[in-house]
Structure formats: structure tokens, C-alpha cells
Amino acid sequence: MAPVKNIIFDLGGVLLNLDVPKTSAAFKALGLTHIDELFRIGFATSFFRDYEMGTISDEEFVEKALQLTAPGTTPAQVIAAWNDMLLDFPAERVEFLKQLQSKYHIYLFSNTNQIHLLHFHKAYREVYGGEMDDLFIKAYYSHLIRMRKPDVAAFEYVIKASGVNAAETLFIDDALINVEGAHKAGLQALHLSDGKTILDLGL
């Protein structure tokens, strides 16, 4: 196995703490009782997948959610429920990423969407006073590149766009299906299992 020169991090569940059940509970309270069939960690279907792929707008996403919620639900309530899963970006992880910059070329690849991106970028600025993306040589977001994990083509796009050698690049994700996709694209890949953080990996 080639020495690692580059690291591609997932965001949610790896760098940013997530509580997906919190969003699930919020949507169920709004009447979208089958939310878990549409969206969960490492899985998205229907308009949730379309939104992560950037093929529908923020307004279209909210409207499709409203069609499945109880009468009287507002767009603001849908957005709040959707953002409920986004928690904190722990300071020790921010500092660790800064330390890694002297050892590796580091990148970000996240399955996300515009509502979430605006929310976690704003939250990061409020706490740390800078731009989150500055921690990485380049950040790749599924809705902007219109490809998402675990599709091999998505990993191949990131590899080519970054100019890295896949064999010398480690991908880290908390969803096993994404780790498997990375392996298929020729990357070294590591599943961050429950209870562990990036500080436990010996990087």
C-alpha cells in the first residue's frame, strides 16, 4: 500500500457532528411520518437525493416536503426541521485539521445541499471567524458537482479535479457504503465507526 500523501474527509459525522434522528423527529412532528424511508445516514431517495444532486432548487425541495407534511406547515418549519441534524464543529477537530495541513494535502467531499451548506458555513463563521472551506485545498459538495457518494463516478471526478494519485489518497467517511465506493475508485478508504473521531486515527 502506497504511503498516504492526501486525505479526503467526509463532513457530517466525521468533522461536523450530526443528529439525523433529530431531523427525523422534527419532520414526523410536521406530519412527514415516513421520513426514515426517504432519508437517513448514507442513504437518500426521492427528492432528497435530487436535492443532494443539485437537480432541484431550494424552493422545489421545500415545496415537495410541504406536500408531505400536515396542512399549515410553513417553509420556515421545513427548513428548521431539515437543519436540526446539523450540530457543532468541535474545536479540537478544527485544530487537528490545521495540524494535518503540514503533513498532507487535505480535501473535503460531502453529500449535502444548499440549505445545509449555508447553515454550516454560517455556524462555522460565527464560532471561528473564518471560512470553513479554508481548512482544505478544495471542498467538493455533491449539489455543486451534481454527483454524490457512493457513486464511483463521483469519486473519480474528485480524484481528477484534485489532481491526486488515488493510490496515495485516503478517504474517510462514517457511512460504510461510501467507503466501499471509494475503494472501487482506487482510493485507500477508512470507515470511521461509531464512537471514534478523527483524533483516534493516528494520522
Side-chain angles (χ1 to χ4, degrees), residues 22 37 47 80 104 119 159 175 197:
K22 191 175 179 183
E37 298 173 19
F47 64 95
Y104 306 99
H119 185 88
I159 291 166
T197 77

Side-chain angles (χ1 to χ4, degrees), residues 10 33 41 69 87 90 95 100 126 130 143 161-162:
D10 172 39
T33 56
I41 287 290
T69 55
L87 303 181
E95 290 306 311
L100 290 181
E126 289 175 349
H143 69 296
S162 301

Side-chain angles (χ1 to χ4, degrees), residues 1-4 166-170 183 187-189:
M1 189 175 294
V4 172
E168 298 174 344
T169 304
L170 175 65
H183 274 304
L187 293 162
Q188 297 185 44

Side-chain angles (χ1 to χ4, degrees), residues 72-185:
T73 302
T74 67
Q77 287 176 305
V78 167
I79 292 170
W82 185 228
N83 283 336
D84 266 352
M85 72 177 78
L86 304 175
L87 303 181
D88 61 315
F89 201 135
E92 62 270 20
R93 296 180 198 168
V94 174
E95 290 306 311
F96 188 59
L97 287 174
K98 291 178 179 178
Q99 293 171 21
L100 290 181
Q101 290 171 347
S102 64
K103 297 172 61 178
Y104 306 99
H105 302 108
I106 62 173
Y107 300 86
L108 181 74
F109 182 20
S110 174
N111 285 351
T112 191
N113 56 84
Q114 190 64 16
I115 290 174
H116 279 177
L117 183 145
L118 292 174
H119 185 88
F120 61 68
H121 276 180
K122 180 175 182 288
Y124 184 93
R125 283 194 297 270
E126 289 175 349
V127 175
Y128 299 108
E131 295 299 325
M132 191 194 81
D133 287 1
D134 290 344
L135 294 169
F136 312 97
I137 292 175
K138 177 71 175 177
Y140 298 94
Y141 298 112
S142 62
H143 69 296
L144 297 180
I145 66 172
R146 299 207 167 191
M147 289 183 277
R148 70 188 295 279
K149 302 172 289 186
D151 297 343
V152 173
F155 287 106
E156 290 175 341
Y157 173 88
V158 170
I159 291 166
K160 184 176 181 180
S162 301
V164 299
N165 181 335
E168 298 174 344
T169 304
L170 175 65
F171 172 72
I172 302 171
D173 201 297
D174 63 322
L176 185 57
I177 190 172
N178 294 337
V179 171
E180 292 168 349
H183 274 304
K184 291 176 183 176

